[in-house]
Amino acid sequence: MGRIPTSVVAASGLVGGYGVARWTKQRPLGGVALAAAGAVAARQWARSAGAGKATALSGLYVAAFAGSHPLAKKVGAWPSVFAVAGGVALASWAVERKA
């Protein structure tokens, strides 16, 4: 079985973390899903693009999570989560493509 693209891992962490928190009504459980996917993505970014770019992409992942909250007040929760997940996935793809 091949490696799952890091852009998919990161986007899935953001979408899945929110989904788990919403459906279980347990925000900490959503945080576990978010953190687990973030850790996997960070490790893959470090291997494919180097430590510096992995740090930058990890920061973007955290910023996307934080930024989805105020954005949700303007566009709704799910659209916000999908927007930030798409942005992180696109950035991940672009960085790894050039690595």
Side-chain angles (χ1 to χ4, degrees):
M1 183 160 104
R3 181 177 73 95
I4 298 171
T6 315
S7 57
V8 173
V9 172
S12 296
L14 289 161
V15 173
Y18 176 68
V20 167
R22 182 167 178 141
W23 290 317
T24 65
K25 296 183 178 21
Q26 297 292 320
R27 290 179 69 155
L29 195 55
V32 169
L34 177 79
V40 170
R43 186 178 55 209
Q44 287 183 208
W45 286 323
R47 287 183 185 155
S48 65
K53 290 178 183 173
T55 300
L57 287 167
S58 295
L60 177 63
Y61 184 81
V62 172
F65 166 70
S68 70
H69 293 81
L71 181 60
K73 293 178 192 274
K74 296 181 185 297
V75 299
W78 280 112
S80 171
V81 170
F82 287 130
V84 299
V88 169
L90 183 60
S92 174
W93 174 81
V95 168
E96 286 188 309
R97 182 172 174 249
K98 292 183 180 189

